[in-house]
Amino acid sequence: MDKSFILNKTSPRSSARRGWLLTTHGQVETPVFCPVGSQATVKTLTPEDLKSVNVNMILSNTYHLYLRPGIPVVKEMGGLHKFMNWDGVILTDSGGYQIFSLANLRKLDEGGVSFRSHIDGSTRYITPEDAVSFQQDLGSDIAMVLDECPHSEASENEVLAAMERTHQWAKRCLAAHTLKSQHLFAIVQGGLSPVLRQQSAEYLASLDFPGYALGGLSLGEPKDITFETVRHTLRFLPGNKPRYLMGVGAPEDLLEGVSCGVDIFDCVLPTRVARNGAFFSRLGRLNIRNASFATQKGPVDPECNCYTCRNYSAAYLHHLFRCEEILAYRLATIHNVAFLSNLMQEVRTSIEKDCFEEFKGDFLARYQPTNESVRIEQKQKWLSARSGETPS
């Protein structure tokens, strides 16, 4: 398949874009947010739940599926779509980020990366060719190259070395990729250096991949630096190819990413915060555990029409979380995924009507984002504690 993206419209006063991502398992309207199902499931949700809130594209993680149940098992079951009973679009991450987050558990050479499993401590070795082969066996619609994601405090020389290795591995992944029905995306690295980001984008663009991702961002750096880097990098990527910003999912960040010209987003945020009792709303995140919800008869978000808000009171949800009932996590996750799905539909409509900037301004005028210093502290604690595991 040669064509992976159709660009229909660009906002007249920003770089916001409206398009179609074309895959074997259907067409996806962009810009789009993809819920994360690292281990072949979006936690607590069924495929029917996802479809009910108009989600038709999800992300799974090759690293996790490689360790459990194993790529051969998924292949024997007919591929990832059949294994998880999902007939929509699947993007698989190569697992590079998870491998490199293992820190002391992995070693690099030019051939690939050796690491110890965070599950049982067994030693594994993966090459760029392996990463491609695994994703071809999974049968995902979009696969990612194996890249090296430098840690947030890496030196300039370390960032440069990671970028150069990413480039060489991307070239090897492209040479190894033979599944015509699958799109292989490159990943731009370069840390927060404008010079290196330009070099990485230009080199990878010269290889003519079907799409491009921006990796190594949203790792705890201030958000203004994140999006300054995004805007700068996108200038050097082809406008007729899809752009994917990895690991971004807060509502305000989705709007900013769209205004920069990003087409695809993914993040564990809506599912992870749901399990902690946080509900997205037009006013910001609501903590259902707060005593103010204990006797609220109406829905937690009166402006939402999802299954949770149509059928359950805030008081009942408060009760479920106080009792740590499993249903609490499911209902909160349905709401948060529905909220982002609806938000992206409104974004697409506003781009079509040439009023995205007004929509963004109106939304942000009401929305109270998480405090920046608190967000960075929480992110750093999460990154330090995860030991290679990606909760979704």
Side-chain angles (χ1 to χ4, degrees), residues 71-87:
I71 303 298
V73 172
V74 179
K75 184 179 181 181
E76 178 66 22
M77 296 295 150
L80 187 53
H81 289 86
K82 289 186 177 180
F83 184 59
M84 64 183 296
N85 191 32
W86 172 253
D87 60 6

Side-chain angles (χ1 to χ4, degrees), residues 313-359:
S313 67
Y316 180 64
L317 296 169
H318 174 84
H319 160 71
L320 292 179
F321 271 95
R322 289 294 298 271
C323 297
E324 298 184 355
E325 284 288 343
I326 293 173
L327 181 59
Y329 314 130
R330 173 174 166 76
L331 294 177
T333 303
I334 288 174
H335 169 81
N336 282 353
V337 173
F339 182 90
L340 293 189
S341 178
N342 292 335
L343 175 63
M344 297 309 289
Q345 179 58 61
E346 292 182 84
V347 165
R348 292 190 293 268
T349 299
S350 71
I351 295 173
E352 289 176 357
K353 295 182 177 180
D354 291 335
C355 61
F356 168 72
E357 290 72 21
E358 289 82 359
F359 173 79

